[in-house]
Structures are given as structure tokens and as C-alpha cells.
């Protein structure tokens, strides 16, 4: 069944839907991004969702954050979470429609936002528009789904006798090479690629092979998410369904 962007918006406007049920993974995503935002920066958080990342990025000294999303429900939740944060402006923006945003941001953040655009043609258009929001030398911190990452993790699962994990119906994951070629063709440089391979391998590979009673809030997942575990295994982008691409303008 082919889904459209109106169905995706309807999904995210449901009050009981969460952006990420695995909070250890969510924290790992946010930390990858936070480490790369410098103090006193002007930040666009594109597709901010419920503001879980926004509240962390806005705590970096001197930052000014414009947080936008297309879902009224997500923005309502973000408003509640960010109440009292005077350095955050929340706005409803549909990147497939008409909108106005500044063009002098130091950083643009996209955290599992672009995968909700259900066609590469739409994603590729919005990618260029987001880069246009950056000042010269600005950085695009793009933490999104990677289809090669999905495939490599499913190869690990197959070797352990596990069924593959499909991509969610409301997501369209990126082909890494296609993404990089597209950005470079428009004059943007790839500065870095990072991932959460250690956490994915342990929690989506090793643990389910050994234990059928799975829950996100477990001691195993807490340990898998620790910086020390990542230092020991150092899997980087290998097996990582989500990757952070850093592009410069």
C-alpha cells in the first residue's frame, strides 16, 4: 500500500503517538547533535516534534532556537515542554508549502523529520531549501534513516536467526550514496558521518537473539547506550539504522 503525506500528517496529529518509544535511542540521537552545536549559535530545529531535542539544544549557552513543525499536535506538546524558554521561538511550518524563515542560521537540525516525506523527489527539494537557511559556513546536522544501515542491521539479525526489522509505513529512508551525490551536486560538502551502531547492534541484534521478553526501559539497553560501551565496541555507522550526516554550506 502506498501512503501519502496527508496520511503521515494525520498520524503525527494523533495525541497518543510518540516520536520515539525507545528513550535511550532518542537520548543518543540528541547527544550526537548536541555535541556539534557551538555556543552562541542561531539554530533552526526543522521538524522539532515534541521538542525533546529542542530543549537540550536551547540549553547550550547563548543559543537562539527557532523550532518548527508541520503538526499542530506536536507543537502543542513542544510548547508545554519548552514553557519558560525565552530563547526558543515555536512556529508551524509546512516545508511542502509556502513559508518564510531566516537565511542566516549557524546550524539547521533535522532529526527524523525528512524521513516523513514519502518521496525522494520531495526530500531532495527540501534538503536544498534547508541548506538555503544557513549562513555561509553554516552546518546542516541531518540525523535521518539510512536504508544501507537498515540492510546491514538486518544482515546481522539474519545471522542470529531473527526476522528483519522493516521501515515504518510512514518513513522513507535515505540511500546514502544518492543523498551524498545530491548534496555535493548542489555545492554542499560532507564534513562527517556518525552513527549509533553499537546501540543498534546490541539492542536490535544481540539482545533479541538471547531474550524474547523485550522492553525499551531495561538495564541491558541502559548499558548498551553508555558512552563506555560505545568506546569498547566502536561500531560507528555499522548496523546503524539512523545516521548523522553533517553538511557544510
Amino acid at each position: 500500500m502506498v501512503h501519502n503525506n496527508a496520511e503521515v500528517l494525520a498520524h503525527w496529529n494523533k495525541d497518543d503517538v510518540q516520536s520515539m518509544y525507545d528513550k535511550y535511542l532518542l537520548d543518543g540521537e540528541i547527544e550526537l547533535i548536541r555535541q556539534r552545536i557551538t555556543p552562541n549559535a542561531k539554530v533552526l530545529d526543522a521538524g522539532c516534534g515534541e521538542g525533546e531535542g529542542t530543549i537540550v539544544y536551547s540549553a547550550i549557552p547563548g543559543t537562539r532556537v527557532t523550532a518548527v513543525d508541520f503538526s499542530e499536535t506536536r507543537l502543542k506538546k513542544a510548547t508545554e515542554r519548552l514553557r519558560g524558554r525565552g530563547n526558543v521561538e515555536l512556529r508551524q511550518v509546512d516545508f511542502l508549502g509556502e513559508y518564510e524563515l531566516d537565511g542566516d542560521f549557524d546550524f539547521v537540525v533535522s532529526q527524523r523529520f525528512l524521513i516523513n516525506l514519502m518521496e525522494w523527489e520531495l526530500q531532495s527539494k527540501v534538503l536544498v531549501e534547508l541548506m538555503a537557511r544557513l549562513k555561509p559556513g553554516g552546518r546542516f546536522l541531518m540525523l535521518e534513516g539510512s536504508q544501507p544501515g537498515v540492510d546491514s542491521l538486518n544482515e546481522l539479525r539474519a545471522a542470529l536467526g531473527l526476522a528483519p526489522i522493516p521501515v515504518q509505513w510512514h518513513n522513507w529512508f535515505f540511500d546514502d550514496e544518492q543523498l551524498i551525490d545530491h548534496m555535493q551536486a548542489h555545492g554542499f560538502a560532507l564534513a562527517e558521518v556518525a552513527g549509533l551502531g553499537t546501540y543498534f547492534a546490541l539492542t536490535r541484534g544481540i539482545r533479541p537473539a538471547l531474550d524474547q521478553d523485550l522492553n525499551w526501559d531495561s538495564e541491558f539497553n541502559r548499558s548498551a547506550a553508555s558512552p563506555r560501551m560505545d568506546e569498547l565496541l566502536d561500531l560507528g555507522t555499522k548496523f546503524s539504522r539512523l545516521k548523522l550526516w553533517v553538511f557544510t554550506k
Side-chain angles (χ1 to χ4, degrees):
M1 180 179 181
V2 178
H3 297 275
N4 59 42
N5 289 290
E7 291 175 293
V8 176
L9 176 57
H11 171 74
W12 289 116
N13 272 333
K14 294 178 181 177
D15 192 65
D16 61 344
V17 170
Q18 295 186 43
S19 66
M20 173 61 72
Y21 292 88
D22 182 349
K23 301 307 180 185
Y24 289 118
L25 176 56
L26 176 62
D27 290 345
E29 298 173 24
I30 292 170
E31 181 60 15
L32 276 183
I33 295 169
R34 187 202 63 78
Q35 291 172 354
R36 290 159 175 83
I37 297 177
T38 56
N40 304 309
K42 184 175 179 179
V43 180
L44 173 62
D45 191 357
C48 66
E50 300 168 25
E52 299 106 323
T54 313
I55 196 168
V56 174
Y57 313 143
S58 65
I60 298 171
T63 54
R64 294 154 292 147
V65 182
T66 301
V68 305
D69 201 274
F70 72 159
S71 165
E72 185 176 348
T73 301
R74 297 302 112 188
L75 284 172
K76 180 181 178 181
K77 292 176 180 290
T79 299
E80 294 170 358
R81 176 173 274 114
L82 294 161
R83 198 174 304 279
R85 291 289 172 114
N87 62 332
V88 178
E89 177 190 9
L90 284 163
R91 293 177 54 185
Q92 187 169 12
V93 170
D94 180 358
F95 283 96
L96 300 181
E98 297 294 325
Y99 63 92
E100 291 186 6
L101 287 169
D102 292 344
D104 62 346
F105 289 97
D106 298 292
F107 296 93
V108 171
V109 174
S110 175
Q111 185 179 349
R112 284 183 288 107
F113 154 55
L114 293 168
I115 55 174
N116 290 286
L117 304 178
M118 298 300 291
E119 302 173 24
W120 163 245
E121 289 73 17
L122 297 177
Q123 292 175 332
S124 60
K125 175 177 179 291
V126 175
L127 279 166
V128 175
E129 292 179 357
L130 289 175
M131 292 298 294
R133 303 297 110 207
L134 288 166
K135 65 168 58 172
R139 296 204 158 202
F140 179 33
L141 307 179
M142 176 184 167
L143 194 145
E144 299 282 351
S146 162
Q147 187 59 50
V150 169
D151 296 339
S152 66
L153 179 61
N154 283 337
E155 288 177 6
L156 173 63
R157 286 176 60 86
L160 294 167
L162 300 170
I165 301 175
V167 173
Q168 296 267 11
W169 69 265
H170 53 83
N171 290 159
W172 187 273
F173 277 21
F174 285 87
D175 177 301
D176 296 27
E177 290 187 8
Q178 183 182 47
L179 168 65
I180 294 168
D181 288 347
H182 173 73
M183 297 297 273
Q184 291 179 339
H186 284 81
F188 310 126
L190 177 66
E192 181 187 5
V193 185
L196 297 160
T198 296
Y199 186 75
F200 275 108
L202 291 175
T203 63
R204 272 67 168 175
I206 303 302
R207 186 178 178 215
L210 302 174
D211 186 359
Q212 294 184 351
D213 184 19
L214 299 176
N215 61 301
W216 298 126
D217 187 19
S218 68
E219 182 61 25
F220 183 95
N221 285 23
R222 186 196 66 77
S223 298
S226 70
R228 179 57 177 160
M229 189 66 71
D230 193 43
E231 289 175 7
L232 289 169
L233 298 184
D234 193 23
L235 292 178
T237 61
K238 191 172 181 62
F239 308 125
S240 192
R241 282 172 59 99
L242 299 170
K243 295 177 184 177
L244 175 67
W245 292 273
V246 180
F247 293 102
T248 60
K249 185 175 181 180

